[in-house]
Amino acid sequence: MINNSGKINFTIDANDKSSLARATHFQTEHGEIKTPIFMPVGTNGVVKTLTPAELKQANSQIILGNTYHLYLRPGMEIIKKAGGLHKFSSWDRPILTDSGGFQVFSLAHLSQITDEEVVFQSHIDGSKHKLSPQKSMEIQNSLGSDIVMAFDECTPYPCDYKKAREAMKRTHHWEKLSKQHFEKMESAYGHNQFLFGIIQGSVYDELRKESAEYLSKLNFDGYAIGGLAVGEPKKRMFEILENVVPLLPESRPHYLMGVGKPEDIVRAIERGIDMFDCVIPTRNARNGLLYTWKGRIKIKQAQYKDDLTAVDPDCTCYTCQNFSRAYLRHLYKKNEITGLRLNTLHNINFFIELTQQARQALLTDKFDEFRNNFYANYPIEDDHWKQNIKKRKQRRKKHLRENETN
Amino acid sequence: MINNSGKINFTIDANDKSSLARATHFQTEHGEIKTPIFMPVGTNGVVKTLTPAELKQANSQIILGNTYHLYLRPGMEIIKKAGGLHKFSSWDRPILTDSGGFQVFSLAHLSQITDEEVVFQSHIDGSKHKLSPQKSMEIQNSLGSDIVMAFDECTPYPCDYKKAREAMKRTHHWEKLSKQHFEKMESAYGHNQFLFGIIQGSVYDELRKESAEYLSKLNFDGYAIGGLAVGEPKKRMFEILENVVPLLPESRPHYLMGVGKPEDIVRAIERGIDMFDCVIPTRNARNGLLYTWKGRIKIKQAQYKDDLTAVDPDCTCYTCQNFSRAYLRHLYKKNEITGLRLNTLHNINFFIELTQQARQALLTDKFDEFRNNFYANYPIEDDHWKQNIKKRKQRRKKHLRENETN
């Protein structure tokens, strides 16, 4: 079976009347994707601390895998021998793999970058490797993901206009090559793959517009917006979405990469985004931050030491059905791994429930009510977010150590 | 309801014809205990990396909790407010709590020891505390365990005769006080508790005999053998069991504390032991050591990097049913918490299955076949064990850091 992008069978189930929000669905060979959707991140072929069975219980329809990480460890030979990432990791629902671009530019030591390829050194052992549009497609072919991402260059923030433009141009070149190579490849395990393009252009409206228009013509199966949530002001991110999303084909899924906090997800849904991924629920769980419809709880705080209520008494997850804040605090204080699991399970449930409720509201024409309720109860943390650049940098360093990346 | 020890309703279901091995059962208010039984250790009110649901799936009938650790963190106020350790930790099957004696003598900084009490400093923050037979009974009353252990002094190995004798004498005094106090206490949460005595006497047959005879007269609900598996030669341990077990009341459960490896469990069953607890399956799982009927697997070894078979293809645990050695190795190499969980789940399943198969063999008069099969396949590691005193000391240090104790 030869891959053939641009053939996605995509349906819009509902459009909100007062925003760009929409409910959509499409079918992959490992299952249906119903949007808006939150996709848990499984960098190394595992969503940190969880099992496939738990992800299914949390109604996770799709998880991410990471081309860069999986290429380095365990390597493609083992994954191919196992029959692809689904079989290797025992996850039989859809998988989306990123292209490795983001990691090559943020994690690895770049030694050379040309229009043909990137030469880099592994952040693990310094070994030298090359990544190119063709190579990225081949790795993702071996991984056997249901959704393949085109190879792109993700710019950091801040990034001057000239550099942003160069990176965008190169991204366009690479994405075209990605598509050409993708369409020549035979499916490795007999199931069809979709190919998504990635819009770049940093914070420059003109570049973002150019990128959206150029890539839209290439007829990808879906469109991602990359290079956001990398440090730019939150307000800018939403302005860019407002400018870019209307330029994307309506009949394709819209995916905002690496976003985000609950309030960012709701605001991006309003702006026409269908798909999200982020390490926030998993990483923050391991740091004792638990999400509820009324905001975050820092479980280590003394106020929870004898609080025998659930994190969210209305939540149906295993954690909330069985354990109190006092018990979770005890586990956290004692560095018990079970605590990290229970926290992660709850957060993943919350993020998936959030997007599922948004979808339900859209299907029943109650999205306005949903978002008003959400904003009325959930404290938005933009200011906090902006003030803590230093903390964010420290966290970034920590997550590099932990190998968990968007 | 006033506690009243010595009232256990204990039944011998089968006796082996060629050894002291036996299958027995007794009823606690949280469920039946069928022996031989392996009891997973939940030092801090959690079996490391696992959930109660997983322990039930692994057919765990009972888990341990730790008086010393739980008394220090989270403290009895919180546990009492939660309604006991069962409710706090969401485990509704039986719990056995140790007396705190072992930890006070091995973990804490002892500042004073008299015939009345032990004054010690917490290994966590140096805070000063007292533990006495009465206090230990009160803590275990607040924990609400189904099986309470009498307060004892556990001697290290080696220990000279004079010290061993003193510690034994003190242990006898303390256990008598434990029983007296236990029988005056009202059940904290309305369910009955059992009280087990602990035989001490280090490696001295004469002392062990004296201890067994003295404590047998006190009519405890069950009898534990403490102070073994603390570094003495394996051969000595089994000789002591051969001398001591026949002196214990037949109509009471026999519990060998802190043992052990699979081969030690089988050999102790042959010598009349019914109950076991040990951190080996959980701690070793976190170090990548996985148990099978053919011995241990070190999952990090290169030979497993593309081994797509299960750890034990016949094992019915979630790990073996879903994941390959190659995947578990990958998770181990990437320090993925999910790997520690999957390893632990498998090991706990193995240890419980081991004792369940021993029980089944006893009930069907096939114990001889069971043990012959076991010994024919499972490599015994006594020599390895004896040669690695230094390694054992390092591991001991590590486990102190990790707060997991027998």
Side-chain angles (χ1 to χ4, degrees), chain A residues 43-54 69-70 73-74 77-78 81-83 87-90 123-124 286 305-308 318 321-324 326-331 333-342 402-403, chain B residues 43-54 69-70 73-74 77-78 81-83 87-90 123-124 286 305-308 318 321-324 326-331 333-342 402-403:
Chain A
T43 308
N44 292 317
V46 59
V47 175
K48 284 191 190 297
T49 83
L50 299 185
T51 62
E54 285 167 336
H69 288 283
L70 291 166
R73 296 267 192 291
E77 222 176 293
I78 291 168
K81 192 178 169 190
K87 285 195 179 151
F88 184 61
S89 65
S90 201
H123 73 291
I124 305 171
R286 301 198 302 284
K305 77 173 178 195
D306 59 353
D307 183 342
L308 296 171
Y318 177 71
Q321 290 293 308
N322 288 280
F323 305 98
S324 64
Y327 185 67
L328 295 176
R329 178 178 187 271
H330 166 63
L331 296 183
K333 297 284 279 183
K334 295 298 284 183
N335 296 317
E336 286 287 353
I337 284 170
T338 304
L340 308 181
R341 290 178 56 176
L342 294 176
E402 291 180 358
N403 278 330
Chain B
T43 309
N44 293 316
V46 60
V47 175
K48 286 192 189 298
T49 83
L50 300 185
T51 62
E54 285 168 336
H69 289 284
L70 292 165
R73 296 268 191 288
E77 224 177 291
I78 291 168
K81 193 178 168 189
K87 285 194 179 152
F88 184 62
S89 65
S90 202
H123 73 291
I124 306 171
R286 302 198 301 283
K305 77 174 179 195
D306 59 353
D307 183 341
L308 296 171
Y318 177 73
Q321 290 294 307
N322 289 279
F323 306 99
S324 64
Y327 185 67
L328 295 177
R329 179 177 186 272
H330 166 63
L331 296 184
K333 298 284 279 182
K334 296 297 284 182
N335 296 317
E336 286 287 353
I337 284 170
T338 303
L340 307 182
R341 289 179 56 176
L342 295 175
E402 290 180 359
N403 277 332

Side-chain angles (χ1 to χ4, degrees), chain A residues 22 33 51 108 135 251 300 312 345 372:
Chain A
R22 59 194 202 158
I33 309 289
T51 62
K135 182 86 177 276
S251 60
K300 72 176 171 193
D312 176 351
L345 197 58
N372 289 343

Side-chain angles (χ1 to χ4, degrees), chain A residues 273-390:
Chain A
I273 298 293
D274 307 309
M275 300 167 72
F276 301 89
D277 79 281
C278 194
V279 298
I280 279 183
T282 43
R283 190 188 307 150
N284 279 353
R286 301 198 302 284
N287 292 323
L289 290 175
L290 297 170
Y291 287 84
T292 81
W293 293 94
K294 290 176 183 165
R296 300 191 315 185
I297 281 176
K298 293 184 186 173
I299 201 66
K300 72 176 171 193
Q301 287 178 346
Q303 61 179 303
Y304 301 121
K305 77 173 178 195
D306 59 353
D307 183 342
L308 296 171
T309 61
V311 171
D312 176 351
D314 297 327
C315 176
T316 58
C317 82
Y318 177 71
T319 304
C320 289
Q321 290 293 308
N322 288 280
F323 305 98
S324 64
R325 295 171 178 189
Y327 185 67
L328 295 176
R329 178 178 187 271
H330 166 63
L331 296 183
Y332 185 79
K333 297 284 279 183
K334 295 298 284 183
N335 296 317
E336 286 287 353
I337 284 170
T338 304
L340 308 181
R341 290 178 56 176
L342 294 176
N343 293 352
T344 306
L345 197 58
H346 170 75
N347 280 357
I348 285 292
N349 265 275
F350 178 82
F351 275 66
I352 289 173
E353 177 71 16
L354 176 72
T355 51
Q356 281 186 339
Q357 287 201 18
R359 176 175 169 83
Q360 201 47 39
L362 284 160
L363 293 177
T364 53
D365 207 12
K366 287 178 181 166
F367 185 72
D368 217 41
E369 194 182 320
F370 165 80
R371 67 173 168 182
N372 289 343
N373 267 340
F374 177 81
Y375 293 135
N377 289 296
Y378 198 95
I380 291 186
E381 292 169 2
D382 289 355
D383 293 337
H384 165 84
W385 187 86
K386 272 188 274 184
Q387 284 159 6
N388 285 286
I389 299 287
K390 204 171 164 187

Side-chain angles (χ1 to χ4, degrees), chain A residues 49-271:
Chain A
T49 83
L50 299 185
T51 62
E54 285 167 336
L55 288 161
K56 286 186 178 180
Q57 275 162 21
N59 292 318
S60 181
Q61 295 171 62
I62 176 171
I63 60 172
L64 259 70
N66 196 296
T67 288
Y68 171 86
H69 288 283
L70 291 166
Y71 164 73
L72 293 177
R73 296 267 192 291
M76 285 310 107
E77 222 176 293
I78 291 168
I79 303 255
K80 275 196 260 185
K81 192 178 169 190
L85 184 56
H86 287 91
K87 285 195 179 151
F88 184 61
S89 65
S90 201
W91 173 254
D92 58 10
R93 292 191 183 176
I95 294 175
L96 181 151
T97 45
D98 69 1
S99 64
F102 180 79
Q103 286 72 34
V104 166
F105 288 97
S106 61
L107 284 186
H109 306 283
L110 278 180
S111 47
Q112 200 189 323
I113 172 166
T114 67
D115 282 350
E116 278 65 50
E117 63 184 17
V118 184
V119 182
F120 66 94
Q121 285 182 287
S122 158
H123 73 291
I124 305 171
D125 60 7
S127 56
K128 222 170 181 175
H129 303 268
K130 291 176 181 180
L131 206 51
S132 65
Q134 294 83 350
K135 182 86 177 276
S136 173
M137 292 305 104
E138 272 158 28
I139 295 170
Q140 293 181 77
N141 183 261
S142 298
L143 290 170
S145 48
D146 300 273
I147 301 175
V148 167
M149 299 304 296
F151 190 63
D152 65 332
E153 179 175 346
C154 180
T155 47
Y157 178 83
C159 175
D160 69 40
Y161 182 83
K162 191 165 166 279
K163 276 198 176 159
R165 189 163 181 277
E166 272 173 26
M168 183 200 71
K169 290 284 185 195
R170 191 179 286 124
T171 289
H172 292 175
H173 177 60
W174 284 353
E175 297 205 34
K176 202 170 176 175
L177 292 176
S178 293
K179 190 161 188 285
Q180 284 166 1
H181 197 78
F182 178 83
E183 289 177 351
K184 275 189 244 162
M185 288 188 309
E186 200 160 333
S187 163
Y189 314 107
H191 64 263
N192 190 49
Q193 298 181 296
F194 293 127
L195 180 64
F196 280 28
I198 305 174
I199 315 297
Q200 289 290 351
S202 187
V203 291
Y204 305 103
D205 289 332
E206 180 189 327
L207 298 181
R208 286 283 175 183
K209 195 180 165 211
E210 186 181 337
S211 190
E213 283 169 349
Y214 176 84
L215 292 168
S216 292
K217 286 185 201 135
L218 291 187
N219 193 20
F220 285 100
D221 290 302
Y223 290 88
I225 301 170
L228 289 181
V230 293
E232 76 285 358
K234 196 62 69 82
K235 196 165 160 280
R236 272 311 283 142
M237 179 174 99
F238 290 117
E239 284 165 0
I240 289 163
L241 291 187
E242 283 158 23
N243 291 329
V244 168
V245 179
L247 302 175
L248 302 177
E250 220 188 320
S251 60
R252 291 289 184 269
H254 307 153
Y255 164 26
L256 179 56
M257 301 183 87
V259 169
K261 293 183 180 178
E263 65 267 34
D264 300 338
I265 290 175
V266 174
R267 290 185 288 187
I269 290 172
E270 289 182 71
R271 286 159 177 88

Side-chain angles (χ1 to χ4, degrees), chain B residues 138-179:
Chain B
E138 270 157 28
I139 296 170
Q140 293 182 76
N141 183 261
S142 299
L143 290 169
S145 47
D146 299 274
I147 300 174
V148 167
M149 299 305 293
F151 190 63
D152 66 330
E153 179 175 345
C154 180
T155 48
Y157 178 82
C159 176
D160 69 40
Y161 182 83
K162 191 165 165 277
K163 275 198 178 161
R165 188 163 182 275
E166 272 173 25
M168 183 199 72
K169 290 285 184 194
R170 191 179 283 123
T171 289
H172 292 175
H173 177 59
W174 283 353
E175 296 205 36
K176 201 169 177 176
L177 291 177
S178 294
K179 190 161 188 283

